[in-house]
Amino acid sequence: MTEMDIAANAIAAYYPECNDLFDLDTHAPDSHIPAYKSTTVSLERVNASVQTAEPV
């Protein structure tokens, strides 16, 4: 995850990398666009002491 300057209570994701996170059967009935704007997101802290690799 990366901290970004976006609206409170919002998330951001890159397309098309985020496609695997969404059920492609859930889409707007008329436009058939995947329901990106109506997806519930839950974030859970796993283990803050785990170290990750530094970006290169």
Side-chain angles (χ1 to χ4, degrees):
M1 289 196 299
T2 302
E3 186 175 334
M4 299 176 76
D5 186 22
I6 60 174
N9 299 315
I11 64 164
Y14 289 98
Y15 171 85
E17 291 84 354
C18 63
N19 279 351
D20 291 340
L21 303 175
F22 299 97
D23 178 11
L24 296 180
D25 292 333
T26 305
H27 57 272
D30 295 329
S31 65
H32 302 289
I33 296 173
Y36 298 126
K37 292 185 178 183
S38 61
T39 300
T40 301
V41 176
S42 297
L43 300 178
E44 179 180 336
R45 184 177 299 274
V46 177
N47 185 348
S49 65
V50 173
Q51 293 186 6
T52 60
E54 292 293 321
V56 288

Coordinates of all heavy atoms in Angstrom, one line a residue:
M1 N 0.8 -1.2 0.0 CA 0.0 0.0 0.0 C 0.9 1.2 0.0 O 2.0 1.2 0.5 CB -0.9 0.0 1.2 CG -2.0 -1.1 1.1 SD -3.4 -0.8 2.2 CE -2.6 -0.9 3.8
T2 N 0.3 2.3 -0.6 CA 1.0 3.6 -0.7 C 0.1 4.7 -0.2 O -1.0 4.7 -0.6 CB 1.5 3.8 -2.1 OG1 2.3 2.7 -2.6 CG2 2.2 5.1 -2.3
E3 N 0.6 5.6 0.6 CA -0.2 6.7 1.0 C -0.3 7.7 -0.1 O 0.7 8.0 -0.8 CB 0.5 7.4 2.2 CG -0.3 8.5 2.8 CD 0.3 9.1 4.0 OE1 1.1 8.4 4.7 OE2 0.0 10.3 4.3
M4 N -1.6 8.1 -0.4 CA -1.8 9.0 -1.5 C -2.7 10.1 -1.0 O -3.5 10.0 0.0 CB -2.5 8.3 -2.7 CG -1.7 7.2 -3.2 SD -2.5 6.3 -4.5 CE -2.4 7.4 -5.9
D5 N -2.8 11.3 -1.7 CA -3.6 12.4 -1.3 C -5.0 12.2 -2.1 O -5.1 12.7 -3.2 CB -2.9 13.7 -1.7 CG -3.7 14.9 -1.3 OD1 -4.5 14.8 -0.3 OD2 -3.6 16.0 -1.9
I6 N -5.9 11.5 -1.4 CA -7.2 11.3 -2.0 C -8.3 11.6 -0.9 O -7.9 11.8 0.2 CB -7.4 9.8 -2.6 CG1 -7.2 8.8 -1.4 CG2 -6.5 9.6 -3.7 CD1 -7.5 7.4 -1.9
A7 N -9.5 11.6 -1.3 CA -10.6 11.9 -0.4 C -10.6 10.9 0.8 O -10.3 9.8 0.7 CB -11.9 11.8 -1.1
A8 N -11.1 11.4 1.9 CA -11.3 10.6 3.1 C -12.2 9.4 2.8 O -13.2 9.6 2.0 CB -11.8 11.4 4.3
N9 N -12.0 8.3 3.4 CA -12.8 7.1 3.2 C -12.9 6.6 1.8 O -13.9 6.0 1.4 CB -14.2 7.3 3.8 CG -14.2 7.7 5.2 OD1 -13.5 7.0 6.0 ND2 -14.9 8.7 5.6
A10 N -11.8 6.8 1.0 CA -11.7 6.4 -0.4 C -10.5 5.6 -0.5 O -9.5 5.6 0.3 CB -11.7 7.6 -1.3
I11 N -10.4 4.8 -1.6 CA -9.2 4.0 -1.9 C -8.9 4.3 -3.4 O -9.8 4.8 -4.1 CB -9.4 2.5 -1.7 CG1 -10.5 1.9 -2.6 CG2 -9.7 2.2 -0.3 CD1 -10.4 0.4 -2.7
A12 N -7.7 4.0 -3.8 CA -7.3 4.1 -5.2 C -6.7 2.8 -5.6 O -6.0 2.1 -4.8 CB -6.3 5.3 -5.3
A13 N -6.9 2.5 -6.9 CA -6.2 1.3 -7.4 C -5.9 1.5 -8.9 O -6.5 2.4 -9.5 CB -7.2 0.1 -7.3
Y14 N -4.9 0.8 -9.3 CA -4.5 1.0 -10.7 C -5.2 0.0 -11.6 O -5.3 -1.2 -11.3 CB -2.9 0.8 -10.9 CG -2.2 1.9 -10.3 CD1 -1.6 1.8 -9.0 CD2 -2.0 3.1 -11.0 CE1 -0.9 2.9 -8.5 CE2 -1.3 4.1 -10.5 CZ -0.7 4.0 -9.2 OH 0.0 5.1 -8.7
Y15 N -5.6 0.4 -12.8 CA -6.3 -0.4 -13.8 C -5.2 -0.7 -14.8 O -4.5 0.2 -15.2 CB -7.5 0.3 -14.4 CG -8.1 -0.4 -15.6 CD1 -9.0 -1.4 -15.4 CD2 -7.6 -0.1 -16.9 CE1 -9.5 -2.0 -16.5 CE2 -8.2 -0.7 -17.9 CZ -9.1 -1.7 -17.8 OH -9.6 -2.3 -18.8
P16 N -5.0 -1.9 -15.3 CA -5.9 -3.1 -15.1 C -5.4 -4.0 -14.0 O -5.9 -5.1 -13.8 CB -5.7 -3.8 -16.4 CG -4.3 -3.5 -16.9 CD -4.1 -2.1 -16.4
E17 N -4.3 -3.6 -13.2 CA -3.8 -4.4 -12.2 C -4.9 -4.8 -11.1 O -4.8 -5.9 -10.5 CB -2.6 -3.8 -11.5 CG -1.4 -3.6 -12.3 CD -1.4 -2.4 -13.2 OE1 -2.4 -1.7 -13.3 OE2 -0.4 -2.2 -13.9
C18 N -5.9 -4.0 -10.9 CA -6.9 -4.3 -9.9 C -8.0 -5.2 -10.4 O -8.8 -5.6 -9.6 CB -7.5 -3.0 -9.4 SG -8.4 -2.1 -10.6
N19 N -8.0 -5.6 -11.6 CA -9.1 -6.4 -12.2 C -9.2 -7.7 -11.4 O -10.4 -8.2 -11.2 CB -8.8 -6.8 -13.6 CG -9.2 -5.6 -14.5 OD1 -9.9 -4.7 -14.1 ND2 -8.9 -5.7 -15.8
D20 N -8.1 -8.3 -10.9 CA -8.3 -9.6 -10.2 C -9.0 -9.4 -8.8 O -9.3 -10.4 -8.2 CB -6.9 -10.2 -10.0 CG -6.2 -10.7 -11.3 OD1 -7.0 -10.9 -12.2 OD2 -5.0 -10.8 -11.3
L21 N -9.1 -8.2 -8.4 CA -9.8 -8.0 -7.1 C -11.3 -7.9 -7.2 O -12.0 -7.9 -6.2 CB -9.2 -6.7 -6.5 CG -7.7 -6.6 -6.3 CD1 -7.3 -5.2 -5.8 CD2 -7.3 -7.7 -5.3
F22 N -11.8 -7.9 -8.4 CA -13.2 -7.6 -8.6 C -13.9 -8.8 -9.3 O -13.3 -9.4 -10.1 CB -13.5 -6.4 -9.4 CG -12.9 -5.1 -8.8 CD1 -11.7 -4.7 -9.1 CD2 -13.7 -4.5 -7.8 CE1 -11.2 -3.5 -8.6 CE2 -13.2 -3.3 -7.2 CZ -11.9 -2.9 -7.6
D23 N -15.1 -9.1 -8.8 CA -15.9 -10.1 -9.5 C -16.4 -9.6 -10.8 O -17.2 -8.6 -10.8 CB -17.1 -10.5 -8.5 CG -18.0 -11.5 -9.1 OD1 -17.7 -12.1 -10.2 OD2 -19.1 -11.7 -8.6
L24 N -16.0 -10.1 -11.9 CA -16.3 -9.6 -13.2 C -17.8 -9.8 -13.6 O -18.3 -9.3 -14.5 CB -15.4 -10.1 -14.3 CG -13.9 -9.7 -14.1 CD1 -13.1 -10.2 -15.2 CD2 -13.8 -8.2 -14.1
D25 N -18.5 -10.7 -12.8 CA -19.9 -10.9 -13.0 C -20.8 -9.8 -12.4 O -21.9 -9.7 -12.7 CB -20.3 -12.3 -12.5 CG -19.7 -13.4 -13.2 OD1 -19.4 -13.2 -14.4 OD2 -19.6 -14.5 -12.7
T26 N -20.1 -9.0 -11.6 CA -20.9 -7.9 -10.9 C -20.6 -6.6 -11.7 O -19.5 -6.1 -11.7 CB -20.4 -7.7 -9.5 OG1 -20.5 -8.9 -8.8 CG2 -21.2 -6.6 -8.8
H27 N -21.6 -6.2 -12.5 CA -21.4 -5.0 -13.4 C -22.7 -4.2 -13.5 O -23.8 -4.7 -13.1 CB -20.9 -5.4 -14.7 CG -21.9 -6.4 -15.4 ND1 -21.8 -7.8 -15.2 CD2 -22.9 -6.2 -16.2 CE1 -22.7 -8.4 -15.9 NE2 -23.5 -7.5 -16.5
A28 N -22.5 -3.0 -14.0 CA -23.7 -2.1 -14.2 C -24.6 -2.8 -15.2 O -24.1 -3.2 -16.3 CB -23.3 -0.8 -14.6
P29 N -25.9 -2.9 -15.0 CA -26.8 -3.6 -15.9 C -26.9 -3.0 -17.3 O -27.0 -3.8 -18.2 CB -28.2 -3.6 -15.2 CG -28.0 -2.6 -14.1 CD -26.6 -2.4 -13.8
D30 N -26.8 -1.7 -17.4 CA -27.0 -1.1 -18.8 C -25.7 -1.0 -19.5 O -25.6 -1.3 -20.7 CB -27.6 0.2 -18.7 CG -29.1 0.1 -18.2 OD1 -29.7 -0.9 -18.4 OD2 -29.5 1.1 -17.5
S31 N -24.6 -0.6 -18.8 CA -23.3 -0.3 -19.5 C -22.4 -1.5 -19.5 O -21.5 -1.6 -20.3 CB -22.6 0.8 -18.9 OG -22.3 0.5 -17.5
H32 N -22.7 -2.5 -18.6 CA -21.8 -3.7 -18.4 C -20.4 -3.4 -18.0 O -19.5 -4.1 -18.2 CB -21.8 -4.5 -19.7 CG -23.2 -5.0 -20.1 ND1 -23.9 -5.9 -19.5 CD2 -24.0 -4.5 -21.2 CE1 -25.1 -6.1 -20.0 NE2 -25.2 -5.2 -21.1
I33 N -20.2 -2.2 -17.4 CA -19.0 -1.8 -16.8 C -18.8 -2.5 -15.4 O -19.8 -2.5 -14.6 CB -18.8 -0.3 -16.7 CG1 -18.9 0.3 -18.1 CG2 -17.6 0.1 -15.9 CD1 -18.9 1.8 -18.1
P34 N -17.7 -3.1 -15.1 CA -17.5 -3.7 -13.8 C -17.8 -2.7 -12.7 O -17.5 -1.5 -12.8 CB -16.1 -4.2 -13.8 CG -15.7 -4.4 -15.2 CD -16.5 -3.3 -16.0
A35 N -18.3 -3.2 -11.6 CA -18.8 -2.4 -10.5 C -17.7 -1.9 -9.5 O -17.7 -2.2 -8.3 CB -19.9 -3.1 -9.7
Y36 N -16.7 -1.2 -10.1 CA -15.6 -0.7 -9.3 C -16.0 0.3 -8.2 O -15.5 0.3 -7.1 CB -14.6 0.0 -10.2 CG -13.9 -0.9 -11.2 CD1 -13.9 -0.6 -12.6 CD2 -13.3 -2.1 -10.9 CE1 -13.3 -1.4 -13.5 CE2 -12.8 -2.9 -11.8 CZ -12.8 -2.6 -13.1 OH -12.2 -3.4 -14.1
K37 N -17.0 1.1 -8.5 CA -17.4 2.2 -7.6 C -18.3 1.7 -6.5 O -18.6 2.5 -5.6 CB -18.0 3.3 -8.4 CG -17.0 4.0 -9.3 CD -17.7 5.2 -9.9 CE -16.7 6.0 -10.8 NZ -17.2 7.2 -11.4
S38 N -18.8 0.5 -6.5 CA -19.7 0.1 -5.5 C -19.2 -1.2 -4.8 O -19.9 -2.1 -4.4 CB -21.1 -0.2 -6.1 OG -21.0 -1.2 -7.1
T39 N -17.9 -1.3 -4.7 CA -17.2 -2.4 -4.0 C -16.9 -2.1 -2.6 O -16.2 -1.1 -2.3 CB -16.0 -2.9 -4.8 OG1 -16.4 -3.2 -6.1 CG2 -15.3 -4.0 -4.2
T40 N -17.2 -3.0 -1.7 CA -16.8 -2.8 -0.3 C -15.4 -3.3 -0.1 O -15.0 -4.3 -0.5 CB -17.8 -3.6 0.6 OG1 -19.1 -3.1 0.4 CG2 -17.4 -3.4 2.1
V41 N -14.6 -2.5 0.6 CA -13.2 -2.8 0.9 C -13.0 -2.9 2.4 O -13.4 -2.0 3.1 CB -12.3 -1.8 0.2 CG1 -10.8 -2.0 0.6 CG2 -12.5 -1.7 -1.3
S42 N -12.3 -3.9 2.8 CA -11.9 -4.0 4.2 C -10.4 -4.2 4.2 O -9.8 -5.0 3.5 CB -12.5 -5.3 4.8 OG -13.9 -5.2 4.8
L43 N -9.7 -3.3 5.1 CA -8.3 -3.4 5.3 C -8.0 -3.9 6.7 O -8.7 -3.5 7.6 CB -7.7 -2.0 5.1 CG -7.9 -1.3 3.7 CD1 -7.2 0.0 3.7 CD2 -7.3 -2.2 2.6
E44 N -7.1 -4.8 6.8 CA -6.7 -5.4 8.1 C -5.2 -5.4 8.2 O -4.5 -5.8 7.3 CB -7.3 -6.8 8.1 CG -7.0 -7.5 9.4 CD -7.5 -8.9 9.4 OE1 -8.5 -9.2 8.6 OE2 -7.0 -9.8 10.1
R45 N -4.8 -4.8 9.4 CA -3.3 -4.8 9.6 C -2.9 -6.3 10.0 O -3.5 -6.9 10.8 CB -3.0 -3.9 10.8 CG -1.5 -3.8 11.1 CD -1.2 -2.8 12.2 NE -1.6 -1.5 11.9 CZ -0.9 -0.6 11.2 NH1 0.3 -0.9 10.8 NH2 -1.4 0.6 11.0
V46 N -1.9 -6.8 9.3 CA -1.5 -8.2 9.5 C -0.5 -8.2 10.6 O -0.8 -8.7 11.7 CB -1.0 -8.8 8.2 CG1 -0.5 -10.2 8.4 CG2 -2.0 -8.7 7.1
N47 N 0.7 -7.8 10.4 CA 1.8 -7.8 11.4 C 2.7 -6.7 11.1 O 3.5 -6.7 10.2 CB 2.5 -9.1 11.4 CG 3.5 -9.3 12.5 OD1 3.8 -8.3 13.2 ND2 4.0 -10.4 12.7
A48 N 2.6 -5.6 11.9 CA 3.4 -4.4 11.7 C 4.9 -4.7 11.8 O 5.7 -3.9 11.3 CB 3.0 -3.3 12.6
S49 N 5.3 -5.7 12.5 CA 6.7 -6.0 12.7 C 7.4 -6.7 11.5 O 8.6 -6.9 11.5 CB 7.0 -6.8 14.0 OG 6.4 -8.1 13.9
V50 N 6.6 -7.2 10.6 CA 7.2 -7.9 9.4 C 7.9 -6.8 8.5 O 7.3 -5.8 8.2 CB 6.1 -8.6 8.6 CG1 6.7 -9.2 7.4 CG2 5.5 -9.7 9.5
Q51 N 9.1 -7.1 8.2 CA 9.8 -6.1 7.3 C 9.6 -6.5 5.9 O 9.6 -7.7 5.5 CB 11.3 -6.1 7.6 CG 11.6 -5.5 9.0 CD 13.1 -5.4 9.3 OE1 13.9 -5.6 8.4 NE2 13.4 -5.0 10.5
T52 N 9.4 -5.5 5.0 CA 9.3 -5.8 3.6 C 10.5 -5.3 2.8 O 11.3 -4.5 3.4 CB 8.0 -5.0 3.0 OG1 8.2 -3.6 3.3 CG2 6.8 -5.5 3.7
A53 N 10.7 -5.8 1.6 CA 11.8 -5.4 0.8 C 11.7 -3.9 0.5 O 10.6 -3.4 0.2 CB 11.9 -6.2 -0.5
E54 N 12.8 -3.2 0.4 CA 12.8 -1.8 0.0 C 12.6 -1.7 -1.5 O 13.1 -2.5 -2.3 CB 14.2 -1.2 0.3 CG 14.4 -1.1 1.8 CD 13.5 -0.1 2.5 OE1 13.2 1.0 1.9 OE2 13.1 -0.4 3.6
P55 N 11.8 -0.7 -1.9 CA 11.6 -0.5 -3.4 C 12.9 -0.2 -4.1 O 13.8 0.4 -3.5 CB 10.6 0.7 -3.4 CG 10.5 1.2 -2.1 CD 11.1 0.3 -1.1
V56 N 13.0 -0.6 -5.3 CA 14.3 -0.4 -6.0 C 14.1 0.7 -7.0 O 13.1 1.1 -7.4 CB 14.8 -1.7 -6.8 CG1 15.3 -2.7 -5.8 CG2 13.7 -2.2 -7.6

